[in-house]
Amino acid sequence: MKKQIINRFIFIIALAIFSFLVAVPSSWLGNNALSNKLSNLKITLGLDLAGGSELDYRIDLSDAIAQNSDDDPTNDVSLSSISESVRDALEARVNPAGVGEIIVKRSQVKDEEHIIIQMPPSASVDKAKRDAERDNRLEFFEEDPTKEAGERVKIASHLTTVTPWNWKNKINELTLDPGIFFVETDGRFKDEINDPVLADKLFLAGKNTFLNEIIETQTEPEYTVEDGNLIVKSFAKEVIGIVRVTDKKEEAREKYIPPSANARHILFAYPGARRAGEDVKYKNKEEAKEKATALLNQLKEEGTDNFAELAKEHSTESAAQETGGDLGDFEPGRMVQEFSDAVFGAEEPGLLPEVVESPFGFHVIEVLKLTPESEETVYEEKVFWEMLAWDKNELPWIETELGGRQLENAMVGYDEIGQPVVNLLFDKEGGDMFAELTGRVAAKTCNGGPCRLGIKVGGQWITTPTVREKIVGRTSIITGNFTFDSAKELADGLNLGAIDAPVILSGQTTITPELGHDQLAKSLKAGIYGFLTTMLFMIIIYRFAGVIAAFSLALYAGLFITILKIWPPSFGGPIVLTLAGIAGIVLSIGLAVDGNILIFERFKEEIKRGRSLPQAIDLGFERAWTAIRDSNLTTLLTCIILFSFGSSIIKGFAITLIVGTLLSMFTAITVSRNLLRFSLLFDWAQNLSLYGIKKEELAGNQKVGAKIRKRK
């Protein structure tokens, strides 16, 4: 028992030392590695104490207004309800744990609905922007083998009705569909167009005319270069489109003319060389090289006037009988690498002094002409065009009713090979819809094989798995090239859900603290004086027990500051301290003192009844525990309700009061009790006067019986 008491005392002292090191300013510890490391731990102050940043988002209610303006009154929606829903959704996104002291409130600017997000300095403005603007829509699609053919018929019908005069209206009307978009190009020379078939058709068409057929082509990728890094904004897409040529004109351009050469050769191939037959005249590599070297020496001595005749006689190239080995003009890269390097490496035309070996065999080469690279100004036609494009990847898909509304939960998991995936759990309605959807897809055939189920998040395709049989149950899996972080980000986004209307950032400002530096310093000074006064009161009333209570309160304060500094981000940290949070701390100090008072009063009563000091300590704590437990549990219950349903300011008050209440119970019950037990291991601690108890107050020293009042 004694060893257990000592071990608990050592634990409390170690905890006190740890909390002291973290809680005090790092400058108190001097200039060393420990203080430098601890200097990174700071209490995060809220908007009212330190100021921060403000984001102003305008809610785009145009779709809802248009819906309310149609002729059907049954589909009218409440704009106020949508705005409130958007506010709730944004708060859940930027302050998911509720401890960041981020204020999200509605505002009205003229006839526009706005959402104001106010953040303390600890919050990341960039992350808040990403979270607020992220599109978390979850959508399911089914592939249909007849859908693309029907869409092509629709596109063809648009082609027959479009004119230069209704072109703009068609663009505005059709691009409301997210799968249809408008492409406008600046001028292109013919060799700058990636699609040669489209290039031919564009240059044959007249100015301000439409191509008389549906065009299948590929859009150009969009990218930028930032700090030397290539940032891809959009990838190339396979599209079907209606194309209009808007302008044509000739422009001057500097045209690069690559180097070229004219050469002829005699090839000596052998069995095993590329494209050489087994009956080739030179029986092995050594013989081919020997014959080539001999012929080269002959040409060096006799000249190259009869090069063509020698090529017809000795070359193993089948075309040599007609060409005499003449290859005509060619550019670098047209010939095999070794041949090209030898020709373009020559300083001047003439017979190359060495036999050149390539995968085709051995070559004797005469360079007839070398033309260096150059640039010249030419006038060429440039064409300008526009395209109304349908994304081919969107054509086979039919949107279903299943989506984020039926999602109950999303979480990260792993497949059979350990690759991160996102597991989806639907509600009962979603499970039934998913079973019906997979059964419908499995019953169809697409392109001679099974059809696919498509999943989009935020309008972007995530996965398109094939479905071979009906899947019964409430679960589904999203696969992809996920890392754990990207899978968790997707799961978290799906759990937050989509918002009921888009938001558009309309302003960002810096806000000043509501409470100035001087007022904050005065408030902190008042809090410290009040805390010290409370400790002094406990010491005066309860003597040695009061000293232990004061130590417990000091440990309580140190632990509270430590928690404020080290609360991890994985639990929604840091806890941001505001005036409301300070109020919660002050109230929890009162609870800590109240617990000690209840314990010490019961402790004194048990001593006065004749109990020994160890017995009195145990009984005092046990009999005071029920009152402490009930009062603290009701406080915790109230705080949980406030945290669950209150605004961010109320949540800040609630979280600090929750932490303070739990710490007060720990310090009052565990710390004070074990310190009193440890002190009783020493004889001097047995003196009752140390606890403010006089001997005549003990049960054995009091007179028993009623006091009789004298008659007058």
Side-chain angles (χ1 to χ4, degrees), residues 298-340:
Q298 178 184 337
L299 289 169
K300 286 179 179 179
E301 292 177 4
E302 299 176 359
T304 60
D305 292 342
N306 63 340
F307 192 98
E309 287 74 17
L310 292 173
K312 293 177 182 179
E313 178 183 352
H314 297 283
S315 181
T316 59
E317 182 186 26
S318 58
Q321 295 303 317
E322 296 181 4
T323 64
D326 195 340
L327 298 172
D329 292 334
F330 56 89
E331 299 172 357
R334 278 272 307 277
M335 302 299 177
V336 69
Q337 185 69 42
E338 294 83 355
F339 190 98
S340 184

Side-chain angles (χ1 to χ4, degrees), residues 354-372:
E354 301 291 338
V355 172
V356 175
E357 183 181 0
S358 80
F360 293 95
F362 296 94
H363 304 263
V364 175
I365 304 172
E366 182 184 13
V367 179
L368 302 176
K369 183 176 67 173
L370 284 172
T371 304

Side-chain angles (χ1 to χ4, degrees), residues 447-464:
N447 299 320
C451 291
R452 296 172 295 167
L453 174 71
I455 302 176
K456 278 185 179 183
V457 176
Q460 301 297 318
W461 290 107
I462 301 298
T463 184
T464 55

Side-chain angles (χ1 to χ4, degrees), residues 533-545:
T533 302
T534 302
M535 294 173 66
L536 182 62
F537 170 81
M538 295 295 291
I539 293 172
I540 293 173
I541 299 299
Y542 297 106
R543 311 287 177 84
F544 180 66

Side-chain angles (χ1 to χ4, degrees), residues 414-415 421-424 426 434 455 463 465 475-479:
Y414 294 90
D415 60 16
V421 297
V422 177
N423 294 316
L424 305 180
F426 300 110
F434 185 66
I455 302 176
T463 184
T475 60
S476 178
I477 297 175
I478 299 179
T479 59

Side-chain angles (χ1 to χ4, degrees), residues 152-443:
R152 285 178 178 270
V153 171
K154 288 182 182 178
I155 297 170
S157 69
H158 291 307
L159 179 60
T160 60
T161 59
V162 71
T163 67
W165 297 274
N166 67 5
W167 177 239
K168 294 292 185 184
N169 291 334
K170 282 282 187 183
I171 292 170
N172 296 333
E173 173 191 341
L174 294 175
T175 52
L176 293 175
D177 187 322
I180 307 173
F181 52 95
F182 177 65
V183 179
E184 184 176 14
T185 64
D186 51 6
R188 295 281 197 280
F189 294 108
K190 192 170 186 177
D191 59 0
E192 294 177 335
I193 301 173
N194 295 331
D195 185 344
V197 176
L198 175 61
D200 290 340
K201 293 177 179 178
L202 288 170
F203 278 86
L204 287 174
K207 178 180 175 181
N208 202 26
T209 61
F210 291 90
L211 300 188
N212 59 3
E213 60 182 304
I214 295 172
I215 299 299
E216 295 194 36
T217 186
Q218 189 180 65
T219 62
E220 298 177 355
E222 295 183 16
Y223 58 88
T224 58
V225 178
E226 298 178 6
D227 299 327
N229 298 317
L230 183 67
I231 309 298
V232 179
K233 299 173 67 176
S234 66
F235 293 96
K237 294 180 180 180
E238 296 289 335
V239 298
I240 299 175
I242 297 173
V243 177
R244 178 191 179 207
V245 177
T246 57
D247 198 6
K248 281 184 169 183
K249 53 185 166 183
E250 282 198 349
E251 286 190 10
R253 65 181 300 200
E254 292 296 321
K255 193 167 184 178
Y256 169 74
I257 301 174
S260 65
N262 185 293
R264 54 186 178 176
H265 76 132
I266 302 172
L267 175 63
F268 294 80
Y270 52 86
R274 188 182 297 177
R275 297 182 187 173
E278 292 298 327
D279 58 345
V280 68
K281 66 172 66 176
Y282 307 108
K283 302 306 179 186
N284 53 54
K285 186 175 183 179
E286 290 73 18
E287 181 186 352
K289 184 175 182 181
E290 181 182 346
K291 295 291 186 181
T293 303
L295 184 60
L296 176 62
N297 291 331
Q298 178 184 337
L299 289 169
K300 286 179 179 179
E301 292 177 4
E302 299 176 359
T304 60
D305 292 342
N306 63 340
F307 192 98
E309 287 74 17
L310 292 173
K312 293 177 182 179
E313 178 183 352
H314 297 283
S315 181
T316 59
E317 182 186 26
S318 58
Q321 295 303 317
E322 296 181 4
T323 64
D326 195 340
L327 298 172
D329 292 334
F330 56 89
E331 299 172 357
R334 278 272 307 277
M335 302 299 177
V336 69
Q337 185 69 42
E338 294 83 355
F339 190 98
S340 184
D341 288 346
V343 170
F344 287 98
E347 295 182 357
E348 58 183 3
L351 186 69
L352 296 188
E354 301 291 338
V355 172
V356 175
E357 183 181 0
S358 80
F360 293 95
F362 296 94
H363 304 263
V364 175
I365 304 172
E366 182 184 13
V367 179
L368 302 176
K369 183 176 67 173
L370 284 172
T371 304
E373 64 181 4
S374 62
E375 284 189 359
E376 63 177 349
T377 302
V378 296
Y379 284 87
E380 290 186 6
E381 190 174 47
K382 180 182 280 191
V383 65
F384 299 75
W385 77 96
E386 301 171 338
M387 178 169 58
L388 190 57
W390 282 256
D391 189 341
K392 285 183 67 175
N393 288 332
E394 301 286 342
L395 297 183
W397 298 100
I398 299 175
E399 186 174 359
T400 69
E401 295 293 327
L402 181 62
R405 293 184 301 275
Q406 290 80 29
L407 182 66
E408 195 168 279
N409 188 33
M411 65 186 71
V412 180
Y414 294 90
D415 60 16
E416 58 275 6
I417 61 172
Q419 181 72 21
V421 297
V422 177
N423 294 316
L424 305 180
L425 177 64
F426 300 110
D427 58 19
K428 185 180 183 306
E429 179 192 14
D432 295 340
M433 294 172 67
F434 185 66
E436 180 185 350
L437 171 60
T438 53
R440 192 166 61 243
V441 174

Side-chain angles (χ1 to χ4, degrees), residues 86-101:
V86 171
R87 192 215 72 82
D88 293 342
L90 291 187
E91 182 170 34
R93 291 180 176 203
V94 301
N95 191 22
V99 300
E101 292 299 337

